[in-house]
Amino acid sequence: MDVVIAGAGPNGLMLACELSLAGVRPVVLERSAEITPEPRANGLVGQVVRMLDRRGLYQRITGTGQPPAPAPSWMFAAMPLDLTGLAGNPVYVLPVPQARLTQILAERAAELGVEVRRGHELADLSQDGETVTATIDGPDGRYQLRTRYLVGADGGHSVTRKRLGIGFPGVNRDNSVSRSVNARPPAEWIDPASGALNVPGYGMIAPLRHHRTETGMFVWAPFPGRPPMLHTTETGVPGDTGLDQDKPLTLAEMEESIQRVLGVRVPLTPAGGGPQLMRRLIGTNTRLAERYRDRRVLLAGDAAHVHSATGGPGLNLGLQDTINLGWKLGAVAAGRAPERLLDTYETERRPVGERVIMQTQAQAALTAPGPDVTALRELFAELLADPANVRHIAATLAGSDVRYESGGHPLVGRFAPDLELRIDGGPVRLAELTWDGQPLLVDLTGAGLSVDGPWRYVRAGLAGGAAPDGVTALLLRPDTYVAWATSAAEPDADELAGLRAAGERWFG
């Protein structure tokens, strides 16, 4: 086999789809017999929303033909971010339950011919210079597979990472308790227009936002078409408070937690309608793998990094890991690119993981209880009155500040801009040209570029507006990051030589 993927969550399935687009058919192992209906992540935030649009998956998830639009507001450390006047707002939000996202990716993988073996779990692995031997526990007993490459997308407790002996340093804190439930507060407390929760004795609490108090955090989340969710986080709670961690969370315990955070009682009744979230988590865990690759075995998603879910960065980070890795591993496995291309996976993605961990830790510090933190928040709120600071925070949250290369044209190394193009007289979005996951050369010069290469060539004009940085041609990697660009009306010999060099570097 060319590639075995351990884990059929969103990251493992997305990687399988990307490999298939690159001409490689992986086998995916998943210990669960079926997609778990347990409520987990509630949606996607950031640049990954635009990336899903560039694979035609955004339309499947939303059920519409409309492209994604940036959110008018978001939050950072329970402080509101007004994004309405932000030029090039990078914060995109896609509400979708993780189970639904997993199902859509599973359906897409099946269309592409991916084999997913459910009830099969990676138990051990070994490797030599040519192959990886995976030992697997299946429904009919233990067996082995030999593969050229193996990718661990098997979560924070990754068997892949542990068997490789890759360190997972970080910080564990046991001074917090988080509780999440699907439940309903009194119906008369919910504002029918805004969905806000008007708590008698406390006041109005906006929906789908983190709400900090001096004693903790509260979230009211009335998801459309789904049971509403309530969440609390209490920080500064010793880990040995006598809380029985083996005892299931109850609505009575949740009511007591809400009362400690808000100072008033909020009566709750069961939500009904499908699987119910009743989850209690003790402490927080922030870790980053020391390396993402050991010869023929690679890590992706939570197997490589775990961190706070504040702001929703987890799937944004993990799915983009797989999209970065998929085309590279596909090209190497298919013999189109040298082995060293895989080294760029870690050099490009691990710094992004470091940055996500930094901003989630910063948010945790800014939402902690206490008057000192309150004073810090007041100062931070003043800084957020400056649009430049809002732009910086928004880019950090979205991951749109990532640049894999510096120097040369300003667009090189960056996520390609959304362009409205005209081809053969008809309008086409750039995103629609990238659904096949192939390298793409977009020529806007008018004169035409006479350079052949391992890419699909599209000659187009702009449907309206000016191109960013005056770009007249750009070469996109399959993950739609810019490998080469020019703003010349007629690129000269040196620039065309740069195009050929970029093609050889990335595509063999």
Side-chain angles (χ1 to χ4, degrees):
M1 296 180 178
D2 286 323
V3 181
V4 168
I5 301 170
N11 294 321
L13 291 170
M14 189 73 200
L15 176 60
C17 292
E18 291 296 295
L19 286 167
S20 295
L21 292 176
V24 173
R25 293 291 181 267
V27 171
V28 185
L29 309 173
E30 172 54 50
R31 65 179 180 179
S32 301
E34 58 186 21
I35 296 173
T36 176
E38 177 187 350
R40 293 184 177 176
N42 296 299
L44 303 170
V45 179
Q47 194 149 279
V48 69
V49 177
R50 298 168 68 196
M51 189 63 237
L52 292 178
D53 179 40
R54 295 180 180 186
R55 289 295 186 265
L57 293 168
Y58 178 86
Q59 291 71 20
R60 291 191 180 210
I61 295 170
T62 61
T64 72
Q66 298 300 314
S73 64
W74 197 238
M75 56 194 167
F76 181 83
M79 288 179 277
L81 291 177
D82 182 2
L83 306 172
T84 52
L86 189 64
N89 176 6
V91 179
Y92 291 74
V93 180
L94 177 56
V96 57
Q98 183 166 323
R100 175 62 179 151
L101 174 64
T102 306
Q103 182 62 48
I104 290 172
L105 291 174
E107 292 169 358
R108 177 58 174 155
E111 292 172 3
L112 293 170
V114 174
E115 179 186 357
V116 178
R117 298 185 182 181
R118 291 199 167 273
H120 296 247
E121 180 179 10
L122 179 69
D124 203 353
L125 64 89
S126 61
Q127 59 179 318
D128 54 32
E130 299 296 329
T131 60
V132 182
T133 300
T135 302
I136 300 158
D137 287 332
D140 299 321
R142 178 164 287 192
Y143 66 99
Q144 290 186 327
L145 285 178
R146 294 185 68 199
T147 178
R148 294 177 62 202
Y149 297 94
L150 186 144
V151 180
D154 46 354
H157 299 287
S158 170
V159 171
T160 308
R161 187 189 65 245
K162 292 176 181 178
R163 295 296 182 269
L164 292 172
I166 293 178
F168 205 37
V171 178
N172 277 32
R173 300 188 186 278
D174 64 352
N175 65 339
S176 67
V177 181
S178 297
R179 297 174 176 88
S180 302
V181 303
N182 286 131
R184 298 185 187 278
E188 61 272 19
W189 291 10
I190 303 173
D191 180 68
S194 66
L197 185 64
N198 190 3
V199 180
Y202 186 85
M204 197 75 76
I205 297 176
L208 305 173
R209 294 290 185 267
H210 289 84
H211 184 78
R212 176 195 177 265
T213 73
E214 288 288 355
T215 53
M217 186 87 70
F218 177 76
V219 178
W220 159 242
F223 296 115
R226 289 186 277 158
M229 186 197 75
L230 298 99
H231 171 90
T232 61
T233 299
E234 297 178 73
T235 308
V237 181
D240 58 351
T241 56
L243 179 66
D244 186 353
Q245 300 183 29
D246 296 326
K247 182 179 178 181
L249 175 63
T250 65
L251 289 185
E253 180 185 329
M254 187 66 181
E255 289 177 354
E256 292 170 359
S257 177
I258 294 173
Q259 185 157 9
R260 288 191 295 270
V261 173
L262 297 182
V264 295
R265 182 172 178 271
V266 177
L268 301 176
T269 56
Q276 299 300 296
L277 175 64
M278 297 289 288
R279 183 170 59 212
R280 181 201 304 118
L281 298 176
I282 309 295
T284 58
N285 192 13
T286 300
R287 297 186 176 277
L288 181 67
E290 289 179 338
R291 60 189 189 278
Y292 283 17
R293 181 188 178 197
D294 184 327
R295 293 170 288 169
R296 292 183 170 272
V297 184
L298 302 102
L299 303 176
D302 288 354
H305 40 69
V306 294
H307 46 77
S308 167
T310 301
L315 286 174
N316 187 19
L317 178 60
L319 287 173
Q320 290 193 88
D321 284 348
T322 66
I323 294 164
N324 183 287
L325 175 60
W327 68 272
K328 295 174 181 177
L329 182 55
V332 173
R336 296 191 304 273
E339 186 86 13
R340 65 176 180 271
L341 180 62
L342 293 179
D343 294 333
T344 67
Y345 169 58
E346 179 174 321
T347 58
E348 290 186 342
R349 293 306 299 170
R350 194 173 185 278
V352 181
E354 291 176 335
R355 189 156 180 80
V356 168
I357 285 175
M358 174 276 293
Q359 60 100 341
T360 57
Q361 288 179 316
Q363 291 194 69
L366 283 165
T367 54
D372 291 347
V373 175
T374 300
L376 181 61
R377 290 173 61 83
E378 290 177 2
L379 176 60
F380 207 91
E382 292 178 9
L383 296 176
L384 290 180
D386 185 337
N389 292 332
V390 174
R391 183 178 300 106
H392 182 89
I393 293 292
T396 301
L397 289 172
S400 62
D401 57 350
V402 173
R403 187 177 186 185
Y404 292 140
E405 298 180 76
S406 59
H409 194 278
L411 290 180
V412 170
R414 295 196 179 278
F415 196 66
D418 291 321
L419 297 175
E420 298 292 333
L421 305 175
R422 188 168 295 279
I423 299 175
D424 296 331
V428 178
R429 295 190 303 120
L430 176 63
E432 297 172 315
L433 302 177
T434 65
W435 289 2
D436 61 1
Q438 303 303 310
L440 177 67
L441 177 60
V442 180
D443 180 4
L444 305 173
T445 62
L449 297 175
S450 56
V451 179
D452 294 328
W455 50 65
R456 185 158 59 93
Y457 174 77
V458 172
R459 190 170 178 179
L462 290 174
D469 295 296
V471 67
T472 56
L474 63 169
L475 176 64
L476 305 188
R477 307 184 332 182
D479 56 5
T480 74
Y481 278 78
V482 179
W484 172 88
T486 181
S487 294
E490 295 185 19
D492 59 22
D494 288 341
E495 288 191 284
L496 295 181
L499 169 59
R500 295 187 186 93
E504 181 178 353
R505 175 188 178 189
W506 291 113
F507 316 129

